[in-house]
């Protein structure tokens, strides 16, 4: 620290990073998940009969589409340190609203727009309770999980509405040209660009990370903590409603219990993709890899005639393992460097 | 260094000689030596980064040394865990104790080793009696039955000390215990420390405050750059001598406020009131002026600063900046209007500790950096580089995590982050708390320079020499009210302290 006297005349130069580029890219949790995804996909194509067929890709993408969509806003919410458990219920509610309104004679397009607005309102309710009333999002969204699901089932009972315009149900399953790429993938890619830019390349995104790491430091730095969270909950509701409309069209069926339990799959994939449940850490590409990893694994195992219970056990074990590895690696890093990091700095600044 | 023959015969309570500790290629402690005698209070001083914390952590069993001797009552010891260090009779009291807020004071003291009665039931009565006896012995009055939640930091420290005493710790290490205490609380802590010394315990007192060291300690050891410099009986040394030993040079002028042209009022606060916190606060800060805001801890100074900046609410009154009235509770508007606040709690409010230096510096100006609404790491790094080098932040890479920097360097990052907004008025709350002498002088020089360029500065400080040396005008707060406004030429430590402690301070 006597550098103040001995070296103040020498202009200090700063490197941008303390690690080389390859380390910053490869030694990340995101890279590990992407690597694992590639390995699992290769192994599955080689060893599981039928997995290598192009049609598998189509169904795989259609299956994980609702999770992919909802995972986008969920990533942002979880990076702020909050959580939204009500998404699957919003999927159900949006599905039922689309069905009921179409049955009542409204054009499908109008019904879908109403469902989207309802989704945004659901998100705003969550956001209001979290930011204005100041309740923890875990408690709030457990409550609204039951509330929105209750509304969905209450509106339609246990029946299903299956009468939708063919144009829309075909569109939901349509493939591009003669390929096996479903058209709906482009809807997802558009949203992917929007959320990636929002999180990683805007001042708003910088605020999201700051909130997750230190709410009070963010507040003292002029970040709108509450407004940011409100916006994210509304986006989450909106995207969940969109996923609900897709879900309805894909299966041609509006039911109150559509997508029950989907929220846990979304959160599992987001956590697997490297988003910290404590907030402040994570990236979109990791989350996408996380969703696809769970999807590929489930699809391959199903083709290999593994029962769904066992698939659940395997994905569950993978999730636990990934969380444990993460903490283990963090622990290892702090041991390898200076505990708490401070002494390292003391000495490195001493000369 | 003790000259008393009786004490040189008995082995010292705790002795470290030439202790070495490195983390990978980085040497944190080159040669740490320290000798604690029983019945004595020993001060350990040094700039931030001198290796004091590393040395304490080795004694506490948090780190294992790589070389050198560690002896307790003459016997070689090697702690591999904090439990071993505790069992050997060593207690460390940190600046901010961690108590269980929902448990009572008594339960906190006896956590994990509650006295039990029949069938292993916890004997609450015995526990309370013992706690009462402890407090009586320490000469403090804390209700043993109240929950720990809401206790002042001073009381929490006393509880940690009580815990140490009940464990019969022979060596007590206090790491900057007074940093967050007010004058009265410091006096009480010192009384407790002296009574522990008189019981024959060995105390180590780490502090940046020389007046306290000279008031309390018997011996002082100076460290610099991870190595032992000197140990001297307190009576044989002076502040100048200690500072010279700490920095390896003479610090001629610690508080170099230079004359600056005082201009128009920039920040005008009128009748600001928040019930129970502060009342009818009016003042102004003019261009080129440093206004000192003095007072005891808890007088409401930081609360006023936060309300003016907009992170805390207020009920009535107005805040005007450059003639424009600022809305309540809108820090972003205040920032855009040209106001900056370097907050009191650097680690919680000033910095996102887990973010990099670059991200921290770029956080407030992220909207200004963005082009067409988009921002990249490259833009952040370019902006951060300017401020890191202007303030001479000591780190190699901009991606260094802010939390790993020393206190002084963290403060520079906070300053850089706010100066990057090019404010017209800077509010700075405890600008040099917990930072070393060298950086302190740099911060003072910087503030003086900023004022010289026409910035208005409101400086909250609990260190009187800092206030008297830097401020053109001193405002004194007591219990939520401004009790005096004293011009630079009239301000003395006596009249400022008087206004801070007496209701009719204005007539001092």
């Amino acid at each position: 620290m006597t550098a103040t006297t001995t070296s103040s005349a020498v202009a200090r130069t700063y490197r941008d990073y303390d690690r080389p580029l390859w380390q910053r890219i490869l030694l990340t949790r995101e890279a590990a998940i992407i690597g694992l995804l590639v390995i699992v996909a290769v192994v599955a194509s080689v060893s599981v009969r039928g997995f290598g067929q192009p049609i598998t890709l189509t169904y795989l993408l259609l299956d994980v589409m609702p999770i992919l969509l909802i995972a986008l806003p969920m990533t942002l919410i979880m990076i702020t340190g909050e959580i939204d458990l009500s998404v699957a219920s919003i999927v159900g509610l949006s599905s039922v609203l689309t069905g009921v309104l179409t049955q009542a004679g409204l054009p499908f397009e109008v019904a879908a727009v109403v469902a989207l607005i309802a989704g945004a309102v659901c998100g705003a309710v969550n956001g209001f309770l979290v930011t204005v009333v100041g309740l923890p999002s875990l408690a709030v969204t457990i409550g609204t999980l039951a509330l929105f699901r209750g509304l969905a089932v209450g509106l339609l009972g246990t029946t299903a509405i299956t009468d939708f315009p063919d144009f829309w149900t075909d569109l939901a399953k349509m493939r591009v040209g003669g390929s096996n790429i479903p058209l709906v993938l482009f809807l997802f890619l558009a949203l992917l660009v929007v959320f990636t830019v929002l999180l990683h390349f805007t001042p708003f995104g910088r605020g999201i990370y700051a909130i997750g790491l230190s709410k009070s430091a963010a507040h003292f730095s002029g970040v709108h903590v509450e407004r940011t969270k409100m916006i994210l909950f509304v986006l989450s509701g909106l995207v969940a409603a969109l996923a609900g409309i897709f879900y309805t069209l894909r299966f041609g069926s509006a039911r109150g219990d559509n997508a029950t339990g989907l929220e846990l799959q979304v959160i599992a994939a987001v956590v697997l993709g490297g988003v910290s449940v404590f907030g402040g850490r994570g990236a979109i590409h990791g989350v996408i890899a996380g969703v696809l990893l769970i999807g590929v694994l489930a699809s391959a195992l199903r083709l290999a005639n593994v029962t769904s219970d066992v698939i659940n056990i395997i994905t569950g074990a993978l999730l636990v393992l990934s969380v444990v590895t993460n903490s283990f690696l963090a622990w290892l890093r702090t041991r390898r460097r200076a505990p708490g990091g401070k002494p390292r700095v003391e000495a490195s600044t001493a000369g | 260094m003790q000259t008393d023959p009786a004490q040189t015969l008995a082995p010292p309570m705790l002795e470290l000689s030439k202790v070495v500790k490195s983390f990978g290629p980085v040497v944190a402690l080159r040669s740490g030596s320290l000798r604690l005698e029983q019945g004595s209070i020993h001060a350990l001083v040094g700039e931030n980064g001198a290796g004091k914390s590393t040395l304490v952590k080795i004694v506490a069993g948090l780190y294992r040394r790589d070389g050198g001797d560690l002896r307790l009552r003459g016997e070689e010891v090697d702690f591999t865990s904090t439990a071993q260090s505790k069992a050997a009779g060593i207690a460390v009291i940190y600046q901010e104790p961690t108590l269980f807020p929902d448990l009572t004071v008594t339960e906190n003291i006896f956590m994990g080793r509650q006295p039990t009665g029949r069938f292993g039931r916890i004997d609450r009565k015995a526990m309370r009696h013992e706690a009462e006896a402890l407090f009586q012995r320490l000469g403090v009055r804390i209700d043993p039955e109240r929950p720990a939640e809401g206790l002042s930091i001073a009381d929490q420290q006393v509880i940690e000390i009580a815990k140490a005493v009940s464990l019969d710790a022979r060596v007590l290490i206090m790491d900057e215990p007074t940093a967050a205490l007010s004058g009265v609380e410091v006096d009480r802590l010192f009384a407790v420390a002296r009574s522990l010394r008189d019981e024959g315990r060995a105390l180590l007192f780490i502090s940046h405050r020389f007046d306290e060291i000279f008031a309390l300690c018997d011996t002082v050891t100076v460290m610099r750059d991870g190595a032992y410099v000197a140990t001297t009986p307190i009576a044989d040394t002076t502040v100048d001598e200690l500072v010279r030993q700490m920095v390896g040079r003479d610090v001629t002028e610690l508080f170099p406020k230079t004359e600056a042209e005082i201009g128009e009022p920039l920040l005008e606060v009128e009748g600001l009131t928040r019930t129970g916190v502060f009342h009818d606060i009016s003042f102004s800060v003019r261009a080129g002026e440093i206004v000192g805001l003095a007072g005891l801890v808890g007088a409401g100074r930081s609360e006023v600063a936060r309300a003016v900046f907009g992170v805390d609410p207020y009920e009535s009154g107005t805040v005007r900046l450059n003639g424009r009235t600022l809305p309540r509770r809108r820090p972003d508007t205040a920032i855009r209007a040209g106001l900056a606040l370097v907050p009191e709690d650097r680690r919680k409010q000033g910095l996102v500790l887990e973010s990099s230096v670059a991200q921290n510096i770029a956080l407030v100006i992220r909207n200004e950096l963005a082009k067409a609404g988009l921002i990249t790491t490259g833009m952040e790094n370019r902006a951060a580089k300017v401020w890191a080098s202007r303030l001479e932040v000591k780190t190699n890479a901009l991606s260094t995590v802010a939390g790993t920097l020393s206190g002084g360097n963290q403060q520079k990052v906070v300053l850089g982050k706010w100066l990057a907004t090019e404010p017209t008025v800077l509010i700075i709350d405890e600008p040099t708390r917990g930072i070393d002498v060298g950086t302190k002088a740099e911060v003072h020089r910087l503030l003086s320079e900023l004022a010289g360029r026409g910035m208005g500065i409101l400086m909250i400080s609990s260190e009187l020499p800092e206030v008297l040396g830097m401020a053109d005008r001193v405002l004194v707060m007591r219990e939520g009210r401004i009790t005096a406004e004293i011009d630079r030429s009239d301000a003395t430590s006596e009249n400022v302290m008087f206004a801070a402690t007496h209701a009719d301070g204005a007539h001092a």
Side-chain angles (χ1 to χ4, degrees), chain A:
Chain A
M1 299 302 282
T2 49
T4 41
T5 55
T6 54
S7 70
S8 55
V10 184
R12 214 163 239 282
T13 53
Y14 297 94
R15 281 179 287 127
D16 283 350
Y17 302 99
D18 50 4
R19 294 191 303 168
L21 182 69
W22 69 269
Q23 279 191 5
R24 279 182 285 123
I25 293 178
L26 292 181
L27 297 187
T28 60
R29 178 166 170 109
E30 285 76 21
I33 292 295
I34 293 171
L36 193 59
L37 170 64
V38 171
I39 292 168
V40 169
V42 169
V43 170
S45 337
V46 174
S47 61
V48 179
R49 254 172 55 123
F51 186 81
Q53 285 174 358
I55 191 73
T56 312
L57 180 69
T58 312
Y59 282 106
L60 177 70
L61 285 175
L62 287 174
D63 283 347
V64 297
M65 192 51 63
I67 302 180
L68 275 176
L69 289 170
I70 299 169
L72 294 173
M74 184 71 84
T75 302
L76 275 58
I77 286 187
M78 287 183 70
I79 289 174
T80 67
E82 303 291 343
I83 200 163
D84 185 355
L85 292 168
S86 70
V87 284
S89 299
I90 297 175
V91 170
L93 186 59
S94 127
S95 174
V96 167
L97 274 175
T98 315
V100 169
L101 293 175
T102 311
Q103 200 179 38
L106 278 179
F108 171 79
E109 294 78 6
V110 176
V113 169
V114 173
L116 287 176
I117 292 168
V121 170
C122 288
V125 169
N126 285 332
F128 175 81
L129 292 172
V130 172
T131 63
V132 182
V133 185
L135 302 170
S137 56
L138 188 73
V140 165
T141 57
I142 282 179
T144 51
L145 177 151
L147 173 68
F148 300 151
R149 182 65 71 186
L151 285 175
V153 176
L155 272 173
L156 195 55
T158 50
T159 55
I161 293 167
T162 53
D163 192 20
F164 293 101
D166 289 343
F167 170 76
W168 287 103
T169 50
D170 291 346
L171 196 70
K173 287 173 279 192
M174 191 197 263
R175 292 179 236 166
V176 182
S179 74
N180 288 291
I181 314 268
L183 188 66
V184 66
L185 184 66
F186 291 93
L187 172 72
F188 164 71
L189 288 178
L191 284 178
L192 176 64
V193 170
V194 169
F195 278 96
T196 306
V197 169
L198 193 62
L199 179 61
H200 295 294
F201 298 101
T202 64
F204 182 79
R206 295 296 192 268
I208 291 177
Y209 281 101
I211 292 169
L213 289 172
S214 171
K215 201 179 141 183
S216 64
H219 184 48
F220 273 83
S221 303
V223 176
H224 292 282
V225 177
E226 312 305 338
R227 191 205 282 175
T228 302
K229 288 181 179 173
M230 186 70 181
I231 291 171
L232 294 182
F233 275 107
V234 170
L235 281 176
S236 177
L238 192 64
V239 174
L242 183 70
I245 294 165
F246 165 74
Y247 200 101
T248 310
L249 291 174
R250 189 198 166 197
F251 296 105
S253 161
R255 292 173 55 93
D257 61 353
N258 268 354
T260 302
L262 192 75
E263 70 281 344
L264 293 181
Q265 292 183 52
V266 173
I267 288 158
V270 169
V271 172
L272 185 65
V275 174
S276 163
V277 286
F278 304 110
R281 305 238 173 275
I284 291 272
H285 60 287
V287 169
I288 303 309
V291 178
L292 293 178
L293 179 59
I294 289 181
V296 166
L297 209 58
S299 156
L301 291 171
R302 218 177 299 129
L303 282 169
N305 287 325
V306 177
T307 61
S308 63
D309 307 341
V310 178
I311 294 175
N312 282 342
I313 291 171
I314 291 173
T315 46
L318 185 70
L319 186 66
V320 172
L321 200 71
S322 82
V323 174
V324 171
T325 326
N326 216 24
S327 335
F328 178 73
L329 285 178
W331 174 80
L332 212 66
R333 265 197 299 276
T334 53
R335 274 194 65 100
R336 215 156 48 88
R337 289 185 197 164
K342 203 177 172 197
R344 175 190 162 93
V345 174
E346 284 180 352
S348 67
T349 57

Side-chain angles (χ1 to χ4, degrees), chain B residues 250-262:
Chain B
D250 285 303
V251 178
T252 45
E253 188 64 272
L254 260 178
F255 311 103
K257 162 70 174 161
T258 47
E259 287 299 317
E261 186 88 8
I262 308 288

Side-chain angles (χ1 to χ4, degrees), chain A residues 1 4-5 12 14-18 201 203 206 213-214 216-217 219-221 224 281 339 343 345-347, chain B residues 23 26-27 48 54 63 249 332 348 354 367 374-375 380 385 388 393-394 396-399 404 417 442:
Chain A
M1 299 302 282
T4 41
T5 55
R12 214 163 239 282
Y14 297 94
R15 281 179 287 127
D16 283 350
Y17 302 99
D18 50 4
F201 298 101
R206 295 296 192 268
L213 289 172
S214 171
S216 64
H219 184 48
F220 273 83
S221 303
H224 292 282
R281 305 238 173 275
V345 174
E346 284 180 352
Chain B
F23 299 98
V26 180
V27 185
N48 285 354
T54 311
Y63 298 163
R249 75 190 142 107
D332 59 319
K348 287 206 186 92
E354 291 176 70
N367 285 309
L374 301 182
I375 187 169
E380 291 176 312
K385 210 167 277 184
V393 176
K394 275 156 222 148
N396 295 323
L398 295 172
S399 65
T404 65
K417 146 182 169 173
E442 280 182 67

